Every structure is written in structure tokens, then in C-alpha cells.
């Protein structure tokens, strides 16, 4: 008896009304910059955005970014500092603010700030916090965007598994977006861009990536002036989210298999505080990273010849490696 309803896009192929979207990336990669870009563009259509700003200063970051992006005053609004919300109960407070200002986009930066201090390691508990947020988006027909950080495993190129928080986020959110950019993690072909990719989306036929040129404008701030970053209009580029992660992963920055293996050896040694038994390292490289024995031996020899690692004896006379 149910009737099918068409999908209503707030921003074509990027944000869906009535859905919870997770936007993920490394710190300083451009997650909030993308959302500030969305907010400024929507403001020019008279559409209001409501922002939770736990990680950004309104006076030093949010206001200047909206100013240089040309946002219409009064359309980008902040959730007051005193409205400290904790899920799932916080959805009732958020609902009041959305209705009061008639917002169509809500940006929560970051979702971890809204999570209870205990229980978030439990998948079922996480879902109980996120489901009311998704239901609120559907009830009020708004797009709710919540940011989260990547996991610390920089060699993981599975975009769907790269976001922190486990499967609860990917199960509840109808759309996962990924942001890669910044000085240290920019894509080699797009060094001055922030890349926004669809990791998974229920309402799209094909995942897409947009490249937003990152620039800055000088603006007066009291008696001084400062450079404020903002994004120019995005253009579609032929890259998938996982391809982007592969390009910025330490294990894949070299074009040779030997070079990739050498980078993986150094990463493993770093993770082990600079010392690791050869037997353990060999097993890790072959079993976990799936490099052939011959590739591992050549990479190891090359690192020794380059002086990047030293071999020596451990406490019990086992051979060990030291960076």
C-alpha cells in the first residue's frame, strides 16, 4: 500500500533531503571547509544552514569563511554553546532549533562530540544514538551532515571501512562522503584541491568525485588582516574514493612493488617503536601485507644499503632491526 516517493536533492548528487549523511576524512583535510561551501551556496538561494561548531571558532573561523565565500547574512546560523547535546536525547533539542530557524541543512562537527562518554565502543549502542538522528532528518525533511575522522590506519584503502566508529555509521547513514585534501594528504594530481567523493549512496547510480579548488582571500579583521581559505565551485573528476586513498597511502606512493614494500617495512618498524625481530617482520610483510618473499628480501636489502635501517642483535642474540 506504500507509494514510492522521489528523492529530493538539496545539492544535486551530493546532499539528500530527509537523510543522514556522514562526511569523513583526516583532521585539516577540508571537511568543514566543504560544509561551509555548501552553506554559502545555499544561502544565496535563501536556504538556511544550522551549524554545531564544537571544533571551530565562530569569530576566527566560521564567520570569516562565510564572508569570503559570499554567504548571505542571516542564513548560516549557529547552535548556541550552551545547547550541549548528547545523543539520543539531544535530537529533541535539535528538532526545536531546526523548526525555529527553518533550516534545511544541519552540520554537526564532529559527531563524536555528541556521543555519550560511555558505550560508544558497542555497535548496538551506537545505532541507538544515530537512528533517532536519521529519523529526525526524515521527519523534518532536512539534510543532516555529521563529520567524523578517519581511522589511524593510513594504509587502509577501503573507503567504506576507513571511517572511525565501525559499521554502525555505515548502516544508519544513507550516504557516506569522503574528503581528502590539505597540505600533507593532498592527491598528487590535485595538490591545490579538496576532493569530495561519494563512498556509498543509496540514491545514486554511480559514485562520483568532485575537485574543489582551494584558495584564500585576505580580509580585514579588526585592526589587522588575515588570509581566509575557501573553496571554488567543484568540477567532477574520474576518481573513486578508494583510488584517492590508494594515491595518498604511504604504501602506495611509490610506483614500484619493491618501493611499496620498503615503505611498509618502515611503517611497521615505526609502529613497533623502531625495533622488530626479523622473523616477526618477515611474517607480517608476507602474511599481512602479502608481499612475496623475494620482494621482501630485496626491499630489506635496499633499506640497509641506503642506511635507513640497521641490523643488529637483540637481548637474546636474535637478529633485530633498528631504524
Amino acid at each position: 500500500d506504500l507509494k514510492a516517493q522521489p528523492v529530493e536533492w538539496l545539492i544535486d548528487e551530493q546532499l539528500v533531503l530527509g537523510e543522514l549523511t556522514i562526511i569523513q576524512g583526516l583532521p585539516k583535510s577540508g571537511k568543514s571547509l566543504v560544509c561551509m561551501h555548501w552553506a554559502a551556496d545555499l544561502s544565496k538561494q535563501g536556504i538556511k544552514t544550522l551549524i554545531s561548531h564544537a571544533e571551530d571558532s565562530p569569530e576566527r573561523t566560521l564567520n570569516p569563511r562565510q564572508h569570503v565565500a559570499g554567504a548571505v547574512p542571516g542564513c548560516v546560523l549557529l547552535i548556541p554553546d550552551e545547547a550541549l547535546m548528547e545523543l539520543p536525547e539531544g535530537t529533541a533539542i535539535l528538532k526545536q532549533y531546526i523548526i525555529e530557524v527553518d533550516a534545511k541543512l544541519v552540520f554537526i562537527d564532529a559527531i563524536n562530540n555528541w556521543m555519550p562518554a560511555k558505550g560508544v565502543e558497542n555497535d548496538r549502542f551506537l545505532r541507538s544514538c544515530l537512528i533517532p538522528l536519521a529519523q529526525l532528518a526524515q521527519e523534518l525533511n532536512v539534510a543532516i551532515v555529521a563529520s567524523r575522522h578517519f581511522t589511524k590506519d593510513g594504509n587502509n584503502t577501503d573507503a567504506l571501512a576507513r571511517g572511525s566508529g565501525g559499521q554502525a555509521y555505515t548502516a544508519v547513514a544513507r550516504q557516506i562522503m569522503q574528503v581528502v585534501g590539505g597540505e600533507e594528504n593532498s592527491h598528487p594530481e590535485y595538490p591545490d584541491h579538496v576532493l569530495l567523493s561519494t563512498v556509498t549512496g543509496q540514491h545514486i547510480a554511480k559514485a562520483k568525485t568532485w575537485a574543489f579548488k582551494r584558495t584564500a582571500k585576505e580580509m580585514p579583521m579588526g585592526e589587522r588582516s588575515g588570509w581566509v581559505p575557501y573553496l571554488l565551485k567543484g568540477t567532477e573528476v574520474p576518481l573513486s574514493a578508494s583510488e584517492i586513498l590508494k594515491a595518498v597511502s604511504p604504501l602506495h606512493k611509490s610506483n614500484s612493488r619493491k618501493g611499496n614494500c620498503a615503505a611498509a617495512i618502515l611503517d611497521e618498524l615505526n609502529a613497533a617503536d623502531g625495533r622488530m625481530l626479523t622473523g616477526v617482520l618477515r611474517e607480517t610483510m608476507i602474511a599481512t601485507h602479502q608481499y612475496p618473499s623475494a620482494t621482501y628480501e630485496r626491499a630489506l636489502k635496499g633499506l640497509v644499503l641506503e642506511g635507513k635501517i640497521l641490523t643488529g642483535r637483540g637481548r637474546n642474540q636474535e637478529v633485530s632491526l633498528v631504524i
Side-chain angles (χ1 to χ4, degrees):
D1 295 333
L2 297 176
K3 294 183 179 180
Q5 295 182 351
V7 172
E8 187 178 356
W9 292 95
L10 179 60
I11 295 179
D12 194 27
E13 296 188 292
Q14 293 179 17
L15 292 180
V16 187
L17 284 170
E19 300 285 9
L20 171 64
T21 296
I22 298 295
I23 184 168
Q24 61 187 32
L26 289 169
K28 309 301 180 184
S29 60
K31 299 185 298 297
S32 62
L33 207 55
V34 168
C35 289
M36 292 299 96
H37 176 82
W38 282 333
D41 274 2
L42 291 171
S43 75
K44 297 167 188 176
Q45 306 171 45
I47 299 174
K48 294 181 179 179
T49 298
L50 194 58
I51 299 174
S52 165
H53 55 94
E55 297 190 351
D56 283 319
S57 165
E59 296 86 359
R60 297 184 179 183
T61 303
L62 302 180
N63 180 283
R65 286 182 178 179
Q66 287 301 289
H67 182 84
V68 298
V72 175
C75 285
V76 183
L77 307 165
L78 303 178
I79 297 175
D81 285 333
E82 60 269 18
L84 297 176
M85 285 179 256
E86 189 173 277
L87 296 175
E89 292 81 5
T91 53
I93 304 172
L94 180 60
K95 179 179 180 178
Q96 295 176 5
Y97 281 110
I98 295 173
I99 294 174
E100 181 180 342
V101 305
D102 191 27
K104 281 298 180 183
L105 172 61
V106 178
F107 177 40
I108 302 172
D109 188 21
I111 187 64
N112 287 348
N113 295 318
W114 284 30
M115 289 297 177
K118 297 181 179 180
V120 291
E121 68 281 351
N122 183 284
D123 184 81
R124 184 175 180 182
F125 179 78
L126 269 177
R127 293 180 192 228
S128 71
C129 294
L130 294 169
I131 288 174
L133 199 60
Q135 292 174 337
L136 179 63
Q138 183 175 4
E139 177 187 352
L140 300 183
N141 197 36
V142 300
I144 297 181
V145 179
S147 71
R148 66 170 178 170
H149 292 154
F150 276 155
T151 59
K152 295 181 179 180
D153 182 7
N155 297 319
N156 183 0
T157 59
D158 181 352
L160 192 58
R162 187 66 199 280
S164 63
Q167 296 180 353
Y169 289 94
T170 56
V172 176
R174 294 296 86 190
Q175 183 163 260
I176 307 291
M177 305 292 286
Q178 170 185 287
V179 172
V180 171
E183 295 181 2
E184 297 182 0
N185 293 280
S186 60
H187 191 281
E189 296 179 23
Y190 300 91
D192 300 320
H193 290 73
V194 171
L195 300 180
L196 172 70
S197 306
T198 306
V199 176
T200 179
Q202 185 182 22
H203 306 299
I204 56 173
K206 181 181 178 182
K208 295 183 178 181
T209 294
W210 295 267
F212 293 87
K213 181 66 182 287
R214 187 172 186 149
T215 186
K217 183 182 294 185
E218 189 175 18
M219 66 172 288
M221 301 178 189
E223 297 179 355
R224 301 181 182 181
S225 63
W227 290 92
V228 182
Y230 68 103
L231 302 179
L232 300 177
K233 185 177 180 180
T235 57
E236 192 176 335
V237 295
L239 292 170
S240 70
S242 291
E243 287 172 343
I244 293 170
L245 289 181
K246 186 174 182 179
V248 302
S249 167
L251 291 186
H252 296 84
K253 288 185 176 179
S254 169
N255 291 326
S256 71
R257 190 169 180 82
K258 174 186 168 184
N260 290 336
C261 184
I265 289 173
L266 293 177
D267 280 349
E268 290 294 342
L269 287 169
N270 273 318
D273 293 328
R275 182 181 291 267
M276 199 170 186
L277 297 178
T278 52
V280 176
L281 178 60
R282 180 186 178 87
E283 182 179 348
T284 301
M285 298 310 300
I286 295 174
T288 304
H289 294 284
Q290 298 183 343
Y291 283 107
S293 176
T295 302
Y296 162 71
E297 297 294 346
R298 289 198 303 270
L300 183 66
K301 184 178 180 180
L303 288 171
V304 173
L305 292 175
E306 293 172 15
K308 293 183 177 179
I309 61 174
L310 300 174
T311 60
R313 292 283 176 181
R315 293 178 180 176
N316 299 318
Q317 298 302 307
E318 312 101 322
V319 175
S320 59
L321 298 176
V322 183
I323 294 177

